[in-house]
Amino acid sequence: MSQSRLRVGILGATGTVGQRFIVLLQNHPQFEITHLGASERSAGQTYKKIVRWKLSQSMPEDIGGLTVTLCDPAHFEGCSLVFSALDSSVAGPVEDAFARAGMAVFSNAKDHRMDSDVPILIPFCNPDHLDIISHQQKSRGLTGNGYIITNANCASTGLVVALKPLQDAFGIDKVIVFTMQAVSGAGYPGVPSLDIYDNVVPYISGEEDKLHVEPRKILGRVEGGDTFVDYDVTLSAMCNRVPVIDGHTECVSIKLNKTATLEEVQKALKEFKPKLPALPSMPPVSLQLFEESDRPQPRLDRDLGRGYTVAVGGVRKCNVLDFKFTLLSHNCVIGAAGGSILNAELALVRGYLK
Ligand SMILES: NC(=O)c1ccc[n+]([C@@H]2O[C@H](COP(=O)([O-])OP(=O)(O)OC[C@H]3O[C@@H](n4cnc5c(N)ncnc54)[C@H](OP(=O)(O)O)[C@@H]3O)[C@@H](O)[C@H]2O)c1
């Protein structure tokens, strides 16, 4: 089986998202982890010796025995693709180097998200944005599998999955979103315990700006194979860090372009089916609509569809805009490592990976 799988490297393999990649890719039918990269702190040591393993699932034994290297393409020979879970302070130039070396880069970092030739890909919402890759390769002179695909900020991901069916059915004019974001979203060691225990921190650096621009690009279209045209929606976000380990909750109010009844809005959310080929990590349901008014909740619902499903509940009329609801998405799965894995699976099906 291993001979038919593509060889894969993980950059930032020791971090919060890197560990998720390792668990989610265990026994993957198409991808086999063969290389691990991290900083100078970790390079030269076996993975099991250097990683501070934080997941309840055990570390796969074969991965524990791999030696961690620096994130230099020369150490990743034979890999078709790399998943990047690098800290954004270093991700940009490192990802460029891997793309130039002919490897596909599936990134979680913010560095390339807003580049004019790089998609923020969420297969549930904008699979056709993958088609900009040919233009990116041409304009950057990249060869082989060399290109960069990003996924969205972890709070943008859940939001756009919930907005997509409403955009398709009615069009969306305005969005106000109030987030309650899990501590794992800040990486490890993240927010000091004395700041977050028994507390809410009403600020996450740079996060609101990402929520104002990323959904516009993701919900937009690619014109002429080489230009992103943003979707014309105005967003206002207020981002909060809360003492939850995994799972971002978001309270959303929306104004639609067309008049709709509550039943029509609920039906659009309930019947949402992404237009996608079968992918190994696709959950049975990409968006689950709860009828109960007190769901979704992070502790109960973050692992729906192994963390790949976005949950929406409490859909009701809003006295200021048109409708409001609560959503929940697993920030480290669909909002990070799992989102990247879906992106790579889609790229493989569409012939962008060899
Ligand atoms: N956590 C989430 O929910 C989430 C969601 C979406 C996107 N993201 C993004 O995903 C990326 C990773 O986040 P995280 O939460 O996993 O962060 P993290 O826990 O802090 O892990 C950062 C990783 O980057 C590596 N690294 C740091 N400096 C490096 C350097 N100079 N050279 C090479 N590697 C270096 C670290 O390696 P060492 O262990 O060797 O220091 C570690 O493996 C970030 O860009 C983040 O914004 C995170």
Side-chain angles (χ1 to χ4, degrees):
M1 174 164 162
S2 82
Q3 279 181 345
S4 61
R5 293 192 289 170
L6 294 179
R7 290 158 67 90
V8 164
I10 313 285
L11 310 179
T14 47
T16 306
V17 176
Q19 294 179 33
R20 282 283 167 185
F21 273 119
I22 284 163
V23 163
L24 293 172
L25 286 170
Q26 197 176 8
N27 303 320
H28 193 280
Q30 298 164 330
F31 305 132
E32 176 187 15
I33 300 174
T34 53
H35 292 72
L36 302 175
S39 74
E40 274 179 9
R41 177 191 80 85
S42 313
Q45 317 221 41
T46 58
Y47 187 69
K48 66 175 171 239
K49 183 161 176 225
I50 193 62
V51 71
R52 303 174 187 103
W53 189 257
K54 294 292 168 194
L55 297 181
S56 52
Q57 299 96 323
S58 334
M59 180 194 312
E61 243 175 71
D62 51 335
I63 301 295
L66 292 177
T67 298
V68 178
T69 66
L70 289 176
C71 294
D72 179 331
H75 298 307
F76 285 70
E77 215 171 294
C79 286
S80 303
L81 66 149
V82 291
F83 290 109
S84 169
L86 285 171
D87 190 87
S88 60
S89 61
V90 294
V94 174
E95 292 171 355
D96 284 332
F98 276 82
R100 276 198 305 274
M103 283 173 253
V105 178
F106 294 86
S107 173
N108 285 269
K110 66 178 181 190
D111 306 49
H112 287 296
R113 282 187 199 140
M114 297 312 293
D115 290 3
S116 64
D117 56 355
V118 173
I120 308 178
L121 193 65
I122 301 182
F124 299 166
C125 301
N126 63 352
D128 50 314
H129 284 207
L130 193 56
D131 298 338
I132 202 142
I133 289 308
S134 311
H135 163 68
Q136 184 195 122
Q137 289 187 305
K138 229 178 278 164
S139 69
R140 297 188 183 209
L142 301 171
T143 54
N145 280 337
Y147 54 80
I148 299 170
I149 289 175
T150 63
N151 52 9
N153 165 268
C154 41
S156 298
T157 300
L159 180 63
V160 294
V161 173
L163 293 181
K164 175 67 179 161
L166 304 177
Q167 176 195 23
D168 289 348
F170 316 107
I172 304 170
D173 180 25
K174 290 185 174 54
V175 177
I176 295 176
V177 54
F178 168 93
T179 72
M180 289 167 275
Q181 298 182 220
V183 287
S184 61
Y188 187 83
V191 190
S193 56
L194 280 179
D195 287 346
I196 197 66
Y197 191 67
D198 185 31
N199 205 13
V200 169
V201 182
Y203 176 70
I204 303 175
S205 174
E207 203 80 346
E208 293 186 0
D209 292 341
K210 293 177 201 161
L211 277 161
H212 295 160
V213 297
E214 291 179 11
R216 290 170 54 87
K217 181 171 178 179
I218 298 160
L219 297 173
R221 60 184 198 281
V222 176
E223 218 167 68
D226 59 8
T227 308
F228 289 109
V229 179
D230 280 357
Y231 184 61
D232 186 14
V233 57
T234 307
L235 299 109
S236 175
M238 287 180 271
C239 297
N240 303 276
R241 189 72 71 195
V242 297
V244 162
I245 293 176
D246 290 317
H248 290 352
T249 305
E250 304 179 35
C251 295
V252 185
S253 288
I254 51 165
K255 180 161 175 43
L256 302 174
N257 287 336
K258 272 193 216 158
T259 306
T261 64
L262 178 60
E263 291 67 34
E264 287 169 333
V265 168
Q266 286 170 323
K267 186 168 184 284
L269 290 164
K270 196 171 182 166
E271 293 182 353
F272 177 54
K273 275 212 174 57
K275 296 176 193 76
L276 283 175
L279 303 175
S281 301
M282 267 300 272
V285 178
S286 4
L287 189 161
Q288 174 154 337
L289 182 66
F290 279 97
E291 314 249 313
E292 299 92 324
S293 3
D294 64 349
R295 301 284 284 275
Q297 297 180 18
R299 203 144 41 85
L300 302 181
D301 304 315
R302 61 190 162 208
D303 290 325
L304 277 171
R306 297 189 308 126
Y308 282 90
T309 296
V310 173
V312 174
V315 185
R316 55 209 190 276
K317 284 268 199 193
C318 170
N319 291 342
V320 178
L321 302 182
D322 291 336
F323 295 95
K324 57 187 176 182
F325 56 84
T326 302
L327 73 86
L328 172 77
S329 59
H330 197 307
N331 54 295
C332 296
V333 183
I334 190 61
S340 276
I341 292 170
L342 282 176
N343 288 347
E345 291 173 354
L346 182 65
L348 183 62
V349 171
R350 294 274 166 90
Y352 287 102
L353 276 176
K354 284 165 224 101

